[in-house]
Amino acid sequence: MTVRTFLVTGLLVGLVAGVLTFAVANLFGEPSIDTAIGIEEANSAAAEAPAADDGHTHADGEEAGGHSHGDEEGGISRTTQKTWGLATAMVVVGPALGGLVGIAAAFAMGRLRRLSPAQSTALVALLGFVAVALVPFAKYPSTPPAVGSGDTIGSRTGLYFGFLLVSVVAMIGAVLLGKMLLGRLRTTEAVAAAAAAYLLVVVVVGHLMPTVNELGSFPADTLWYFRRASLVTLATLWALIGVGMTAMVARQHEKATMAHAKRELAASL
């Protein structure tokens, strides 16, 4: 089993996972985004509406500076955004993430003590979900379109990816630490020490990094539904990639083992 085998497997599994995750995102995530956009446009219209004695209509206000998230002429309609646009994004993100998991799984094969290729692949996918998706989401959760100032998009994005980098590096360090401790401690103790080291790093760094709070008067229930749907979408994509990769690697490893056994049998005759 070569790196190419893992990479191709990851790309194919990621493609399927992206298509299935699109269905989940469209079903659970898009309704809350539509609600958030409706709130944003209502607030924008109320803020831009002229005084009653100016003699202007609401339509005049919209022409002067209103916006409707791509529904205007020359833009991308909301219907396209949540169908073909979302599908395209998932079809791109799925294989990319699957390929990265495949490469990481290929690197981990044979280096995680006595774990089989399938077991090490499952572990890589689980640790990847924690480090890349879950922990960064816990510090800087996603926000709907109506939340946050447009002037702070760059800084908020930088903070998120900065903490993402810290989480990934800390996870790699924790895995190396656990592997080093396996020769000195029992397996459970080494794993516990590595997990504690990872948590210590991300908790301390997360506490030191700035907190983003630009919610304003946005409805708490809509925010909760949006963030819950976002986390479900992330978990679905990672779970499908992890389960699919593990199953495919197990099957390929079994075939490779049988082929090797046949060659050895033929050579001994």
Side-chain angles (χ1 to χ4, degrees):
M1 298 184 65
T2 63
V3 175
R4 181 180 180 276
T5 302
F6 278 92
L7 176 59
V8 172
T9 301
L11 292 173
L12 294 177
V13 170
L15 178 61
V16 176
V19 172
L20 296 178
T21 304
F22 158 72
V24 174
N26 188 269
L27 179 63
F28 293 102
E30 292 302 320
S32 59
I33 295 179
D34 288 335
T35 301
I37 291 175
I39 294 172
E40 180 185 26
E41 293 180 343
N43 293 338
S44 177
E48 295 171 357
D53 56 0
D54 286 343
H56 297 295
T57 63
H58 180 66
D60 294 331
E62 289 182 342
E63 292 176 0
H67 59 281
S68 55
H69 290 273
D71 290 334
E72 64 273 6
E73 184 178 357
I76 301 176
S77 68
R78 176 66 187 133
T79 301
T80 301
Q81 290 175 5
K82 63 183 182 181
T83 52
W84 292 109
L86 179 61
T88 301
M90 287 292 98
V91 168
V92 171
V93 171
L97 185 58
L100 291 175
V101 172
I103 293 174
F107 179 80
M109 184 178 65
R111 291 181 169 87
L112 299 177
R113 215 168 188 182
R114 291 185 293 272
L115 294 182
S116 68
Q119 292 171 335
S120 63
T121 298
L123 181 60
V124 165
L126 176 61
L127 297 181
F129 169 69
V130 172
V132 177
L134 183 60
V135 170
F137 186 92
K139 173 60 180 178
Y140 296 114
S142 56
T143 55
V147 174
S149 170
D151 298 333
T152 62
I153 291 179
S155 60
R156 286 185 280 130
T157 302
L159 288 173
Y160 175 82
F161 280 104
F163 189 67
L164 171 63
L165 179 61
V166 170
S167 178
V168 171
V169 172
M171 182 61 77
I172 294 174
V175 171
L176 295 177
L177 175 63
K179 183 180 178 181
M180 181 183 67
L181 293 177
L182 282 175
R184 307 175 184 178
L185 304 174
R186 290 180 295 181
T187 301
T188 54
E189 295 173 343
V191 171
Y198 170 76
L199 290 175
L200 178 63
V201 172
V202 295
V203 168
V204 171
V205 175
H207 178 73
L208 295 176
M209 292 184 70
T211 299
V212 176
N213 185 6
E214 299 181 356
L215 300 182
S217 59
F218 191 82
D221 56 344
T222 303
L223 180 65
W224 160 248
Y225 293 141
F226 174 83
R227 288 180 171 174
R228 182 180 66 179
S230 299
L231 187 57
V232 167
T233 301
L234 283 172
T236 299
L237 180 60
W238 277 93
L240 290 173
I241 290 176
V243 172
M245 281 286 299
T246 301
M248 292 293 291
V249 168
R251 181 179 179 183
Q252 292 169 357
H253 181 245
E254 182 180 359
K255 291 173 61 176
T257 302
M258 292 180 62
H260 179 69
K262 289 180 180 179
R263 287 195 299 268
E264 287 190 338
L265 180 60
S268 64
L269 294 179

